[in-house]
Amino acid sequence: MNIHEFQAKRLFAQYNIPVPDGKAVYSAEEAAQYAKEVTTDVAVVKAQIHAGGRGKAGGVKLAKDKKDIAVYAKELLGKTLVTHQTGPEGRCVRKLLIEEGIAIAKELYLSLLIDRTYSRPVFITSLEGGMEIEEVAEKTPEKVIKEYIDPSVGFQQFNGRNMAFRLGLAPEIIKQFIAMAGNLYRLLTEKGASLIEINPLVITKDNRLIALDAKMSFDDNALYRNEDIKALRDLDEEEELEIEASKHGLNYIKLNGNIGCMVNGAGLAMATMDVIKLAGSEPANFLDVGGGASKETVKQAFQILLADKNVKGVFVNIFGGIVRCERIAGGIIEAAKEVEIKVPLVVRLAGTNAVEGLEMLRESGLNLEVASDMWEGAQKVVKLVMGSV
Ligand code: GDP
Ligand code: MN
């Protein structure tokens, strides 16, 4: 789960990580109201969406005059912001963060995340802040500093010093940096975050270290431990179809391709996506209907699949181990009664009651093709979709 910058900054404040003074607002009137409280000459109006790259896309405005705060607020609210992270459809701006302006002397980069390969948290920091860290890592990898933390002992002062010295920070900044790193570590571990990213982390002209931006992601499986974090979920920022799928206990992730996949088991679902790519197309989704799928969940899954306008063909790939193939067939037939299937459908059923399932599908009169293995199925559906565009 991701949260907004203003929410992450509230958590930062709770953990003594310095952030600019500011307020989240939902309307131009509220923005104008807050403008009266701003004490600095310059204020910053920032679009709150779950995506980075807002600065370049016009989602971060510097208001040099207090009156401009409401003007920019009006301009941004309701606007669809397209950044390199939102995809071409962009994101609608519903909230803003108004902040007091900071006089920046230097922009750095600092993040803390879980490195799955090494099974431990790692800090990543660089003097090259404000720009994309991926680009820095690619062009000048020597400018990216990593500090691994041993989770059995946790963050130690020397970890902070290692980073501060390698960055070459001035003595008055080093202490603040070490304290900040320690606080970030506490925040990550106590709240079950998988990533905290500060880009830019700034050194101000009066030598203070402040988090100017804040991004946080949480491990969904740890959300039960922190009700306060769970409450930060913003459904406006999530894919509608994914929310619908989660209500039915389905593991559905929307992707950008045009072949809808209905599969049981995460491993088979991943393999199915690979095989679709291998056959020359792209999957429209990841969908694992699970082992205990009932006719009802299959029906829901099928409807969610077809609700995606990009879907130009569907590949059902089921290996009946725990799940029984006739239930899958029943679910598809039920779903087809409610939504017309206008795209090619290829079905591969194997395992428990596969023969019965295929028989049911055949008798239903549905327009579909049967495949005897997944490679044949993937090739068939890709060919049908290519032929229909
Ligand atoms: P992002 O583009 O979505 O990552 O949004 P950021 O929060 O990183 O803001 C983009 C850029 O706006 C930053 O890199 C800063 O250069 C600038 N910016 C944000 N807040 C301030 C501020 O208080 N003062 C000044 N001078 N610049 C700011
Ligand atoms: Mn940023």
Side-chain angles (χ1 to χ4, degrees):
M1 184 185 84
N2 295 323
I3 62 172
H4 286 291
E5 175 191 8
F6 76 92
Q7 296 169 322
K9 281 180 168 166
R10 276 185 203 157
L11 289 166
F12 282 16
Q14 277 176 34
Y15 279 78
N16 295 322
I17 297 157
V19 292
D21 282 334
K23 189 173 196 279
V25 301
Y26 298 79
S27 67
E29 294 74 50
E30 258 187 285
Q33 195 61 35
Y34 181 66
K36 293 179 193 156
E37 293 173 36
V38 172
T39 58
T40 50
D41 292 337
V42 177
V44 189
V45 181
K46 306 181 82 175
Q48 298 296 288
I49 54 170
H50 283 187
R54 296 162 304 166
K56 278 189 200 144
V60 178
K61 307 272 189 197
L62 287 191
K64 301 219 170 72
D65 187 314
K66 298 270 156 43
K67 285 198 282 299
D68 293 343
I69 295 178
V71 175
Y72 285 135
K74 210 171 214 157
E75 188 186 317
L76 286 173
L77 284 168
K79 186 180 163 174
T80 300
L81 202 62
V82 181
T83 84
H84 68 93
Q85 289 186 8
T86 58
E89 69 278 12
R91 282 283 170 80
C92 179
V93 180
R94 294 182 170 89
K95 309 168 186 71
L96 301 171
L97 175 62
I98 319 274
E99 276 184 344
E100 301 203 332
I102 299 291
I104 303 172
K106 171 90 192 122
E107 296 194 345
L108 318 176
Y109 175 93
L110 177 62
S111 64
L112 172 61
L113 60 148
I114 306 295
D115 185 321
R116 288 170 186 267
T117 311
Y118 293 96
S119 308
R120 56 191 53 203
V122 60
F123 280 94
I124 298 176
T125 185
S126 175
L127 286 176
E128 305 294 318
M131 55 180 108
E132 279 166 62
I133 195 70
E134 290 84 356
E135 205 179 311
V136 181
E138 198 174 313
K139 292 190 182 143
T140 47
E142 70 283 359
K143 290 185 178 163
V144 178
I145 295 165
K146 285 189 182 181
E147 180 74 15
Y148 285 92
I149 308 298
D150 182 340
S152 58
V153 288
F155 178 84
Q156 302 293 315
Q157 296 291 307
F158 77 83
N159 295 125
R161 279 198 297 277
N162 276 350
M163 287 188 276
F165 292 153
R166 286 173 70 194
L167 287 168
L169 297 179
E172 63 272 31
I173 304 297
I174 291 180
K175 229 175 117 184
Q176 299 176 57
F177 184 88
I178 297 171
M180 183 180 282
N183 289 332
L184 283 171
Y185 189 82
R186 259 194 327 120
L187 172 57
L188 182 102
T189 47
E190 288 179 9
K191 297 296 183 187
S194 51
L195 165 85
I196 309 177
E197 185 181 56
I198 306 175
N199 190 22
L201 167 67
V202 301
I203 300 173
T204 65
K205 292 198 170 135
D206 57 355
N207 281 323
R208 286 177 300 143
L209 197 62
I210 296 183
L212 210 63
D213 193 6
K215 178 186 159 79
M216 284 187 83
S217 304
F218 293 86
D219 183 339
D220 289 353
N221 293 318
L223 286 176
Y224 74 95
R225 288 195 296 189
N226 290 290
E227 287 298 329
D228 57 334
I229 302 299
K230 222 166 148 181
L232 301 178
R233 186 167 176 197
D234 183 352
L235 292 179
D236 283 345
E237 294 289 330
E238 293 181 24
E239 204 44 74
E240 234 170 276
L241 292 175
E242 289 181 12
I243 298 168
E244 182 63 23
S246 72
K247 283 188 201 151
H248 302 289
L250 295 161
N251 286 314
Y252 170 89
I253 312 278
K254 190 177 152 13
L255 301 166
N256 294 324
N258 57 10
I259 312 274
C261 320
M262 187 162 90
V263 191
N264 68 315
L268 189 58
M270 296 298 279
T272 304
M273 289 160 55
D274 282 349
V275 100
I276 286 170
K277 277 177 175 273
L278 211 59
S281 196
E282 296 285 332
N285 66 280
F286 168 93
L287 172 63
D288 168 14
V289 294
S294 67
K295 197 163 88 179
E296 190 57 27
T297 40
V298 170
K299 179 183 143 191
Q300 298 291 355
F302 214 69
Q303 288 177 342
I304 287 166
L305 269 193
L306 293 174
D308 176 357
K309 315 183 279 307
N310 295 333
V311 168
K312 299 285 183 271
V314 174
F315 181 25
V316 175
N317 185 16
I318 301 289
F319 181 80
I322 299 169
V323 70
R324 304 202 317 251
C325 292
E326 90 275 11
R327 280 200 197 154
I328 302 284
I332 295 172
I333 294 164
E334 284 297 311
K337 283 183 191 159
E338 287 176 32
V339 279
E340 195 192 342
I341 305 172
K342 294 183 194 138
V343 296
L345 171 62
V346 174
V347 179
R348 178 250 179 168
L349 298 178
T352 313
N353 295 353
V355 176
E356 289 82 346
L358 287 172
E359 190 55 36
M360 282 167 70
L361 287 170
R362 220 171 276 127
E363 281 173 8
S364 73
L366 279 177
N367 184 14
L368 59 88
E369 291 219 12
V370 172
S372 53
D373 64 46
M374 61 192 276
W375 177 227
E376 184 194 323
Q379 284 176 301
K380 267 192 177 166
V381 72
V382 169
K383 209 166 143 208
L384 285 167
V385 168
M386 298 285 192
S388 71
V389 286

